[in-house]
Amino acid sequence: MSRISVRGFAVASATAVTTVGAVVGVASGDPVSSGDNNFEAAAADTTLLADIPVGQQAQVASAAVTQQADVQAAAADEAAKTQAEQSARLKAASDAKAKKEKADEAKAAKEKAEKEAKEREQVEEIASRSSSRDAGEASFEQKSSYSVSDVKAIARQIVPAGQFQCFSNIVNHESTWNYQAQNPTSAAYGLVQSNPGSKMASVAPDWRTNPATQIKWGLNYMNVRYGSPCEAWAFWQNNNYY
């Protein structure tokens, strides 16, 4: 006959079992070692499954399985909760990092734009002073109006030959060689779209009607800010402005 002990079971009566543990079977009649003696001593306080009425044994076994399943389910729930919390922390950290990077990029772009605007103002001021000094170096016959060919002819006399094509490219994009070109969305004016056009007064007061005045100012601006018209044209190609 086999003896089966139920560790951790408390039997309130011959028909009622209130606490369920793990079921351990020990074959009766097997040789008993020192380890078996320890086992028997540890099992002294347990309730034998054989001592439980036959009608209750199935309930005891079922309760043991149910308890084990509950323990496993609770452990799984706790693991899932821990994983969810960790995932939430990681996502929050990632979102915060992305937000900070975006804010840093926006700040850097703003600072870059402000720096470029300030540099442009400084360069234009220098160009204006330089143009003012050079204003009397060459004079051209005043006309009531100028054709595109007239304006280009004047430009060829002012702009160095090796730089003329680059200068021409910029003027063509900025005003299509119209010395009276007015930007509809800003105060930019003339062949090189000085913004505002009044800056060209540093060369001569006739900046509105004299293409030579505009060309002198534009050439000085390109030389001071970029080094030459060709370097200004290279910048324009990459940025669509100069």
Side-chain angles (χ1 to χ4, degrees), residues 114-155:
E114 291 175 348
K115 181 180 179 181
E116 289 181 349
K118 186 175 181 179
E119 289 177 348
R120 181 184 291 271
E121 290 178 359
Q122 292 174 342
V123 169
E124 289 178 349
E125 183 179 353
I126 294 172
S128 294
R129 290 198 297 266
S130 177
S131 297
S132 181
R133 290 194 300 269
D134 298 338
E137 292 183 1
S139 60
F140 299 87
E141 181 183 356
Q142 291 283 328
K143 294 184 179 182
S144 58
S145 64
Y146 299 83
S147 65
V148 171
S149 59
D150 290 337
V151 176
K152 286 185 176 181
I154 294 172

Short mmCIF file of all heavy atoms in Angstrom, two decimals, residues 114-155:
data_model
loop_
_atom_site.label_atom_id
_atom_site.label_comp_id
_atom_site.label_asym_id
_atom_site.label_seq_id
_atom_site.Cartn_x
_atom_site.Cartn_y
_atom_site.Cartn_z
N GLU A 114 19.63 84.62 -36.83
CA GLU A 114 19.90 85.93 -36.24
C GLU A 114 21.35 86.34 -36.49
O GLU A 114 21.62 87.52 -36.77
CB GLU A 114 19.62 85.89 -34.73
CG GLU A 114 18.14 85.74 -34.40
CD GLU A 114 17.88 85.58 -32.92
OE1 GLU A 114 18.87 85.34 -32.17
OE2 GLU A 114 16.71 85.68 -32.49
N LYS A 115 22.26 85.38 -36.38
CA LYS A 115 23.68 85.67 -36.61
C LYS A 115 23.91 86.08 -38.06
O LYS A 115 24.63 87.06 -38.33
CB LYS A 115 24.53 84.45 -36.26
CG LYS A 115 26.02 84.67 -36.44
CD LYS A 115 26.81 83.42 -36.08
CE LYS A 115 28.30 83.64 -36.29
NZ LYS A 115 29.08 82.40 -35.96
N GLU A 116 23.30 85.34 -39.00
CA GLU A 116 23.47 85.67 -40.41
C GLU A 116 22.88 87.04 -40.73
O GLU A 116 23.44 87.80 -41.52
CB GLU A 116 22.80 84.60 -41.27
CG GLU A 116 23.54 83.27 -41.27
CD GLU A 116 22.87 82.24 -42.13
OE1 GLU A 116 21.72 82.48 -42.57
OE2 GLU A 116 23.48 81.19 -42.39
N ALA A 117 21.72 87.36 -40.13
CA ALA A 117 21.10 88.66 -40.37
C ALA A 117 22.00 89.79 -39.86
O ALA A 117 22.17 90.82 -40.52
CB ALA A 117 19.74 88.71 -39.69
N LYS A 118 22.59 89.56 -38.68
CA LYS A 118 23.48 90.58 -38.12
C LYS A 118 24.72 90.75 -38.98
O LYS A 118 25.17 91.88 -39.23
CB LYS A 118 23.88 90.16 -36.70
CG LYS A 118 24.69 91.22 -35.97
CD LYS A 118 24.96 90.80 -34.53
CE LYS A 118 25.74 91.88 -33.79
NZ LYS A 118 26.00 91.49 -32.37
N GLU A 119 25.28 89.62 -39.44
CA GLU A 119 26.46 89.69 -40.30
C GLU A 119 26.14 90.40 -41.61
O GLU A 119 26.94 91.18 -42.12
CB GLU A 119 26.98 88.28 -40.59
CG GLU A 119 27.62 87.61 -39.38
CD GLU A 119 28.05 86.19 -39.69
OE1 GLU A 119 27.65 85.67 -40.77
OE2 GLU A 119 28.77 85.59 -38.87
N ARG A 120 24.94 90.11 -42.14
CA ARG A 120 24.53 90.76 -43.38
C ARG A 120 24.46 92.28 -43.20
O ARG A 120 24.91 93.05 -44.05
CB ARG A 120 23.19 90.21 -43.84
CG ARG A 120 22.68 90.79 -45.14
CD ARG A 120 21.29 90.26 -45.46
NE ARG A 120 21.35 88.85 -45.77
CZ ARG A 120 21.55 88.37 -47.01
NH1 ARG A 120 21.70 89.20 -48.03
NH2 ARG A 120 21.58 87.09 -47.23
N GLU A 121 23.89 92.70 -42.09
CA GLU A 121 23.77 94.14 -41.83
C GLU A 121 25.15 94.78 -41.71
O GLU A 121 25.39 95.87 -42.24
CB GLU A 121 22.99 94.36 -40.54
CG GLU A 121 21.50 94.02 -40.66
CD GLU A 121 20.77 94.21 -39.35
OE1 GLU A 121 21.44 94.60 -38.35
OE2 GLU A 121 19.55 93.98 -39.31
N GLN A 122 26.06 94.06 -41.03
CA GLN A 122 27.41 94.60 -40.87
C GLN A 122 28.12 94.69 -42.21
O GLN A 122 28.79 95.70 -42.50
CB GLN A 122 28.21 93.71 -39.91
CG GLN A 122 27.70 93.75 -38.48
CD GLN A 122 28.41 92.75 -37.59
OE1 GLN A 122 29.04 91.80 -38.07
NE2 GLN A 122 28.33 92.94 -36.27
N VAL A 123 27.96 93.65 -43.04
CA VAL A 123 28.62 93.64 -44.35
C VAL A 123 28.04 94.74 -45.23
O VAL A 123 28.77 95.43 -45.96
CB VAL A 123 28.44 92.27 -45.03
CG1 VAL A 123 28.86 92.34 -46.48
CG2 VAL A 123 29.29 91.23 -44.30
N GLU A 124 26.73 94.90 -45.20
CA GLU A 124 26.11 95.93 -46.02
C GLU A 124 26.56 97.33 -45.60
O GLU A 124 26.74 98.21 -46.43
CB GLU A 124 24.59 95.80 -45.93
CG GLU A 124 24.04 94.58 -46.65
CD GLU A 124 22.54 94.43 -46.51
OE1 GLU A 124 21.95 95.16 -45.69
OE2 GLU A 124 21.96 93.58 -47.21
N GLU A 125 26.75 97.49 -44.31
CA GLU A 125 27.23 98.79 -43.82
C GLU A 125 28.64 99.05 -44.32
O GLU A 125 28.97 100.17 -44.77
CB GLU A 125 27.20 98.80 -42.30
CG GLU A 125 27.62 100.14 -41.70
CD GLU A 125 27.57 100.14 -40.19
OE1 GLU A 125 27.10 99.14 -39.61
OE2 GLU A 125 28.02 101.13 -39.58
N ILE A 126 29.49 98.00 -44.28
CA ILE A 126 30.86 98.14 -44.78
C ILE A 126 30.85 98.41 -46.27
O ILE A 126 31.59 99.26 -46.78
CB ILE A 126 31.68 96.87 -44.47
CG1 ILE A 126 31.86 96.71 -42.96
CG2 ILE A 126 33.04 96.94 -45.16
CD1 ILE A 126 32.49 95.40 -42.56
N ALA A 127 29.98 97.68 -46.99
CA ALA A 127 29.89 97.87 -48.44
C ALA A 127 29.42 99.27 -48.78
O ALA A 127 29.90 99.88 -49.75
CB ALA A 127 28.92 96.84 -49.03
N SER A 128 28.50 99.78 -47.99
CA SER A 128 28.00 101.12 -48.23
C SER A 128 29.11 102.16 -48.07
O SER A 128 29.25 103.08 -48.88
CB SER A 128 26.85 101.43 -47.28
OG SER A 128 25.74 100.61 -47.56
N ARG A 129 29.91 101.98 -47.00
CA ARG A 129 31.01 102.93 -46.78
C ARG A 129 32.03 102.84 -47.91
O ARG A 129 32.54 103.86 -48.40
CB ARG A 129 31.68 102.64 -45.44
CG ARG A 129 30.81 103.00 -44.24
CD ARG A 129 31.66 103.11 -42.98
NE ARG A 129 32.29 101.86 -42.64
CZ ARG A 129 31.78 100.98 -41.79
NH1 ARG A 129 30.60 101.20 -41.22
NH2 ARG A 129 32.43 99.85 -41.51
N SER A 130 32.32 101.60 -48.33
CA SER A 130 33.28 101.40 -49.42
C SER A 130 32.76 101.99 -50.72
O SER A 130 33.49 102.63 -51.47
CB SER A 130 33.56 99.90 -49.60
OG SER A 130 34.44 99.69 -50.68
N SER A 131 31.48 101.78 -50.99
CA SER A 131 30.88 102.31 -52.20
C SER A 131 30.90 103.83 -52.21
O SER A 131 31.12 104.46 -53.24
CB SER A 131 29.42 101.82 -52.33
OG SER A 131 29.39 100.42 -52.46
N SER A 132 30.69 104.40 -51.04
CA SER A 132 30.70 105.86 -50.94
C SER A 132 32.07 106.42 -51.29
O SER A 132 32.19 107.43 -51.98
CB SER A 132 30.31 106.28 -49.52
OG SER A 132 30.29 107.68 -49.41
N ARG A 133 33.13 105.73 -50.86
CA ARG A 133 34.48 106.18 -51.16
C ARG A 133 34.80 106.07 -52.65
O ARG A 133 35.53 106.89 -53.21
CB ARG A 133 35.50 105.35 -50.37
CG ARG A 133 35.49 105.62 -48.87
CD ARG A 133 36.74 105.04 -48.22
NE ARG A 133 36.81 103.59 -48.43
CZ ARG A 133 36.31 102.71 -47.58
NH1 ARG A 133 35.66 103.12 -46.49
NH2 ARG A 133 36.43 101.42 -47.81
N ASP A 134 34.20 105.04 -53.28
CA ASP A 134 34.52 104.78 -54.69
C ASP A 134 33.57 105.48 -55.65
O ASP A 134 33.68 105.32 -56.87
CB ASP A 134 34.47 103.27 -54.97
CG ASP A 134 35.50 102.53 -54.14
OD1 ASP A 134 36.48 103.17 -53.69
OD2 ASP A 134 35.31 101.32 -53.92
N ALA A 135 32.62 106.20 -55.13
CA ALA A 135 31.55 106.75 -55.98
C ALA A 135 32.08 107.66 -57.08
O ALA A 135 31.52 107.72 -58.18
CB ALA A 135 30.55 107.51 -55.12
N GLY A 136 33.13 108.40 -56.78
CA GLY A 136 33.59 109.37 -57.79
C GLY A 136 34.60 108.81 -58.78
O GLY A 136 35.13 109.55 -59.61
N GLU A 137 34.91 107.54 -58.72
CA GLU A 137 35.93 106.97 -59.59
C GLU A 137 35.49 106.87 -61.04
O GLU A 137 36.31 106.89 -61.94
CB GLU A 137 36.32 105.58 -59.07
CG GLU A 137 37.08 105.65 -57.73
CD GLU A 137 37.52 104.29 -57.28
OE1 GLU A 137 37.25 103.31 -58.01
OE2 GLU A 137 38.14 104.18 -56.20
N ALA A 138 34.21 106.67 -61.27
CA ALA A 138 33.74 106.55 -62.65
C ALA A 138 32.37 107.20 -62.77
O ALA A 138 31.57 107.12 -61.85
CB ALA A 138 33.65 105.09 -63.05
N SER A 139 32.10 107.83 -63.87
CA SER A 139 30.81 108.47 -64.08
C SER A 139 30.27 108.03 -65.43
O SER A 139 31.02 107.74 -66.36
CB SER A 139 30.94 109.99 -64.02
OG SER A 139 31.84 110.45 -65.03
N PHE A 140 28.95 108.00 -65.51
CA PHE A 140 28.30 107.58 -66.74
C PHE A 140 27.22 108.59 -67.11
O PHE A 140 26.61 109.21 -66.23
CB PHE A 140 27.68 106.18 -66.58
CG PHE A 140 28.68 105.11 -66.25
CD1 PHE A 140 29.05 104.84 -64.94
CD2 PHE A 140 29.28 104.38 -67.27
CE1 PHE A 140 29.99 103.87 -64.64
CE2 PHE A 140 30.22 103.41 -66.98
CZ PHE A 140 30.58 103.15 -65.66
N GLU A 141 27.04 108.71 -68.38
CA GLU A 141 26.03 109.67 -68.87
C GLU A 141 24.64 109.27 -68.37
O GLU A 141 24.23 108.14 -68.49
CB GLU A 141 26.04 109.70 -70.40
CG GLU A 141 25.05 110.69 -70.99
CD GLU A 141 25.03 110.64 -72.50
OE1 GLU A 141 25.84 109.88 -73.08
OE2 GLU A 141 24.20 111.32 -73.10
N GLN A 142 23.98 110.25 -67.78
CA GLN A 142 22.64 110.01 -67.26
C GLN A 142 21.62 109.97 -68.40
O GLN A 142 21.71 110.73 -69.36
CB GLN A 142 22.25 111.12 -66.29
CG GLN A 142 23.03 111.12 -64.99
CD GLN A 142 22.52 110.04 -64.05
OE1 GLN A 142 21.35 109.69 -64.05
NE2 GLN A 142 23.43 109.51 -63.25
N LYS A 143 20.68 109.03 -68.28
CA LYS A 143 19.58 108.91 -69.25
C LYS A 143 18.26 108.91 -68.50
O LYS A 143 18.20 108.63 -67.31
CB LYS A 143 19.72 107.62 -70.06
CG LYS A 143 20.92 107.55 -70.97
CD LYS A 143 20.88 106.26 -71.77
CE LYS A 143 22.06 106.16 -72.73
NZ LYS A 143 22.01 104.92 -73.55
N SER A 144 17.21 109.18 -69.24
CA SER A 144 15.88 109.14 -68.62
C SER A 144 15.42 107.70 -68.41
O SER A 144 14.61 107.42 -67.54
CB SER A 144 14.87 109.90 -69.48
OG SER A 144 14.82 109.33 -70.79
N SER A 145 15.95 106.81 -69.23
CA SER A 145 15.64 105.39 -69.09
C SER A 145 16.76 104.56 -69.70
O SER A 145 17.53 105.07 -70.54
CB SER A 145 14.29 105.04 -69.75
OG SER A 145 14.38 105.27 -71.16
N TYR A 146 16.82 103.28 -69.30
CA TYR A 146 17.88 102.40 -69.77
C TYR A 146 17.29 101.06 -70.20
O TYR A 146 16.43 100.50 -69.51
CB TYR A 146 18.90 102.15 -68.66
CG TYR A 146 19.61 103.38 -68.15
CD1 TYR A 146 19.01 104.19 -67.18
CD2 TYR A 146 20.87 103.73 -68.62
CE1 TYR A 146 19.65 105.31 -66.69
CE2 TYR A 146 21.53 104.84 -68.13
CZ TYR A 146 20.91 105.64 -67.17
OH TYR A 146 21.56 106.76 -66.69
N SER A 147 17.78 100.57 -71.34
CA SER A 147 17.37 99.24 -71.77
C SER A 147 18.25 98.21 -71.07
O SER A 147 19.26 98.56 -70.45
CB SER A 147 17.53 99.12 -73.29
OG SER A 147 18.91 99.19 -73.64
N VAL A 148 17.88 96.94 -71.20
CA VAL A 148 18.68 95.88 -70.59
C VAL A 148 20.08 95.89 -71.17
O VAL A 148 21.07 95.73 -70.45
CB VAL A 148 18.02 94.52 -70.80
CG1 VAL A 148 18.95 93.39 -70.37
CG2 VAL A 148 16.71 94.42 -70.02
N SER A 149 20.20 96.11 -72.46
CA SER A 149 21.53 96.14 -73.09
C SER A 149 22.35 97.32 -72.57
O SER A 149 23.57 97.21 -72.40
CB SER A 149 21.39 96.21 -74.61
OG SER A 149 20.67 97.37 -75.01
N ASP A 150 21.69 98.45 -72.32
CA ASP A 150 22.40 99.60 -71.75
C ASP A 150 22.95 99.27 -70.37
O ASP A 150 24.10 99.58 -70.05
CB ASP A 150 21.45 100.80 -71.62
CG ASP A 150 21.04 101.40 -72.96
OD1 ASP A 150 21.78 101.21 -73.94
OD2 ASP A 150 19.97 102.03 -73.02
N VAL A 151 22.10 98.64 -69.56
CA VAL A 151 22.51 98.31 -68.19
C VAL A 151 23.67 97.32 -68.20
O VAL A 151 24.63 97.45 -67.43
CB VAL A 151 21.31 97.76 -67.40
CG1 VAL A 151 21.77 97.33 -66.00
CG2 VAL A 151 20.20 98.80 -67.30
N LYS A 152 23.58 96.31 -69.07
CA LYS A 152 24.66 95.33 -69.14
C LYS A 152 25.96 95.96 -69.61
O LYS A 152 27.05 95.60 -69.13
CB LYS A 152 24.26 94.19 -70.07
CG LYS A 152 23.22 93.25 -69.48
CD LYS A 152 22.95 92.06 -70.40
CE LYS A 152 21.97 91.08 -69.74
NZ LYS A 152 21.72 89.91 -70.61
N ALA A 153 25.86 96.91 -70.52
CA ALA A 153 27.07 97.59 -71.01
C ALA A 153 27.73 98.37 -69.88
O ALA A 153 28.97 98.37 -69.75
CB ALA A 153 26.69 98.53 -72.15
N ILE A 154 26.93 99.02 -69.06
CA ILE A 154 27.49 99.75 -67.91
C ILE A 154 28.14 98.77 -66.94
O ILE A 154 29.23 99.03 -66.42
CB ILE A 154 26.37 100.54 -67.20
CG1 ILE A 154 25.84 101.66 -68.12
CG2 ILE A 154 26.88 101.15 -65.90
CD1 ILE A 154 24.61 102.36 -67.60
N ALA A 155 27.48 97.64 -66.69
CA ALA A 155 28.02 96.65 -65.77
C ALA A 155 29.35 96.11 -66.24
O ALA A 155 30.26 95.88 -65.43
CB ALA A 155 27.02 95.51 -65.59
#
